């Protein structure tokens, strides 16, 4: 049976800076607690150790992987934890050398010795981590893999397949772009309409509406916070926030009191080509500066690429179509989520597996497709938009300086957003019958490129800009 991935699997609310290195390990820690509880071991634990492997180890400090596992083991939820509480919780663990598992059971835990960074890679996936709990009677260990976008799996694929069979109730299961297009043509529906029918098999219409709007409001608030926050990003690179100054130069002395009023104010600003470029860049910068500061973002499909989709959707709302509202927002998010799921099934959305083409490239394809549909593109043109966007990100490496999701990651979101808009416009002006490269072909090419890419360019900070530019230079 085909894997069914919901829009809400692809667009998750969480805490920065990384979906694979922060949100994934956080969720893995939660799952480990659930296993301990199921084994009736939780209340007996006297010590917990965490081993990080491969990319999680090599760039774990810069991606806050150590903080994520501590927060997860503490029973905190990344969707709802007040981000201002994070420092307090981490400081308490570091000071007292104790952790309260699941917010219930206090046990010994020294982050300096009980979180081990192992540079070797586990064979199953580049992002592996093992939790070990010690009790007076026994040790209990469990290994998880963070495969990108906050998705966490175990190696036992047979069990995973059974779970997919139970979960999958979509009336129109989709494994690739060709199948999606066939449904659209046979049912005479747009891509978002097919996606909506699938989502309704799992949730009520009211829940779908509520959750899609919660995702959008999180994106909007994230852009708002980023555009109104100045200073230096944490991590030691001394990267100065740029969205604040860019935003001030664009909006001037306008008055507004909340994100929605802000959106309406932007609609009244000047929109010459240079201003459009600056606004789109500003939106993307804002999101990823919030992400770099451990703020709340929406993985789309990852945290490192979280700025592309909000920036392009905001562009559509404030520049392209002032009459657009909830209908178009939901349509946009459903298309983006579906295109992202097809990339996940056919390739990867993990930079540790595929380089930055798997993050910025996929997010740009998602945004291009979504923009194309809300602008009136046919399903064929929507897929063409996604293909064009990815085609011009093929081979993009992941080489973060200092292992931080800052340089070049933040700027790359601006490029991904601009390329997405350009790709959508090109697709709208093209007869889809003349398309030479099907979306499935470019997804397959991306996966082949990922497999051929040298491992040092896959989120290890051992190649590219990460070694060409010294941290001291920053």
């Amino acid at each position: 049976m085909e894997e069914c991935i919901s829009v809400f699997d692809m667009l998750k609310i969480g805490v920065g800076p990384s979906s694979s290195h922060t949100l994934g390990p956080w969720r893995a820690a939660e799952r480990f607690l659930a296993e301990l509880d199921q084994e009736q071991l939780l209340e007996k634990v006297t010590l917990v150790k965490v081993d990080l492997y491969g990319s999680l180890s090599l760039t774990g400090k810069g991606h806050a992987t150590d903080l994520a596992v501590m927060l997860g083991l503490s029973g905190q939820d990344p969707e709802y934890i007040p981000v201002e509480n994070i420092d307090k919780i981490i400081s308490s663990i570091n000071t007292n050398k104790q952790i309260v598992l699941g917010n219930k059971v206090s046990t010994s835990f020294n982050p300096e010795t009980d979180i081990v960074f192992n540079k070797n890679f586990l064979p199953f996936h580049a992002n592996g981590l093992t939790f070990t709990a010690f009790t007076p009677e026994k040790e209990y260990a469990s290994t998880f893999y963070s495969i990108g976008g906050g998705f966490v799996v175990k190696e036992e694929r047979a069990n995973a397949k059974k779970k997919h069979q139970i979960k999958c109730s979509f009336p129109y299961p989709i494994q690739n772009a060709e199948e999606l297009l066939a449904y659209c043509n046979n049912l005479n529906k747009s891509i978002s309409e097919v996606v909506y029918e699938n989502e309704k098999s799992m949730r009520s219409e009211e829940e779908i509406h509520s959750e899609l709007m919660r995702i959008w409001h999180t994106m909007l608030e994230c852009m708002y916070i980023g555009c109104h926050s100045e200073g230096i990003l944490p991590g030691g690179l001394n990267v100065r926030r740029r969205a604040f100054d860019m935003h001030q130069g664009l909006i001037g002395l306008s008055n507004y009191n909340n994100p929605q009023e802000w959106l309406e104010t932007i609609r009244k600003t000047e929109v010459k080509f240079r201003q459009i470029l600056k606004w789109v860049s500003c939106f993307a910068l804002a999101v990823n500066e919030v992400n770099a500061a451990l703020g709340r973002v929406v993985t789309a499909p990852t945290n490192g690429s979280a700025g592309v989709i909000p920036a392009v959707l905001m562009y559509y709302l404030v520049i392209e179509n002032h009459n657009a509202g909830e209908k178009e927002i939901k349509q946009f998010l459903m298309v983006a989520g579906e295109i992202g799921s097809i990339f996940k099934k056919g390739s990867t959305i993990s930079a540790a597996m595929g380089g930055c083409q798997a993050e910025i490239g996929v997010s740009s394809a998602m945004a291009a497709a979504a923009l194309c549909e809300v602008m009136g593109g046919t399903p064929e043109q929507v897929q063409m938009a996604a293909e064009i966007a990815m085609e011009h990100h093929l081979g993009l490496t992941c080489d973060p300086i200092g292992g931080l999701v800052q340089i070049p990651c933040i700027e790359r979101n601006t490029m991904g957003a601009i390329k997405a808009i350009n790709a959508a416009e090109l697709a709208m002006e093209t007869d889809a019958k003349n398309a030479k490269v099907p979306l499935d072909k470019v997804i397959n090419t991306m996966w082949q490129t990922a497999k051929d890419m040298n491992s040092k360019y896959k989120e290890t900070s051992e190649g590219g800009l990460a070694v060409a530019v010294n941290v001291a230079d920053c």
Side-chain angles (χ1 to χ4, degrees), residues 205-232:
E205 294 186 18
E206 293 76 15
E207 186 180 0
I208 295 169
H209 171 83
S210 174
E211 286 302 295
L212 285 174
M213 293 313 297
R214 185 166 76 97
I215 287 169
W216 164 242
H217 288 137
T218 302
M219 290 178 171
L220 179 60
E221 183 179 36
C222 186
M223 287 184 281
Y224 185 81
I225 291 171
C227 284
H228 296 84
S229 301
E230 55 184 330
I232 304 297

Side-chain angles (χ1 to χ4, degrees), residues 1 40 83 102 105 193 196 244 262 301 311 337 342 346 390 425 445:
M1 180 174 287
Q40 298 183 335
V83 291
V105 181
E193 288 172 334
Y196 189 52
F244 180 87
W262 175 61
I342 292 173
M390 172 50 72
E425 291 291 349
T445 300

Side-chain angles (χ1 to χ4, degrees), residues 381 384-385 388 392 421-431:
Q381 288 174 321
M384 181 185 290
I388 293 170
H392 300 288
I421 296 169
N422 194 13
E425 291 291 349
L426 285 172
M428 291 286 291
E429 295 299 322
T430 304
D431 185 341

Side-chain angles (χ1 to χ4, degrees), residues 132-205:
T132 306
F134 298 83
T135 74
E137 294 85 20
K138 63 184 291 188
E139 295 179 13
Y140 180 84
S142 191
T143 298
F144 300 87
Y145 298 90
S146 179
I147 61 172
F151 289 88
V152 177
V153 300
K154 303 194 76 171
E155 193 168 351
E156 298 82 4
R157 284 188 161 179
N159 292 334
K161 187 175 181 181
K162 290 177 184 176
K163 290 178 182 177
H164 286 313
Q165 288 176 335
I166 293 170
K167 176 184 175 183
C168 190
S169 59
F170 286 179
Y172 309 114
I174 297 159
Q175 189 65 23
N176 53 49
E178 184 179 5
E179 289 180 0
L180 173 59
L181 193 58
Y183 285 129
C184 291
N185 291 334
N186 293 337
L187 299 168
N188 194 27
K189 291 181 181 293
S190 66
I191 288 175
S192 62
E193 288 172 334
V194 173
V195 175
Y196 189 52
E197 291 302 313
N198 281 340
E199 292 296 333
K200 286 195 295 183
S201 69
M202 300 177 70
R203 297 172 177 82
S204 68
E205 294 186 18

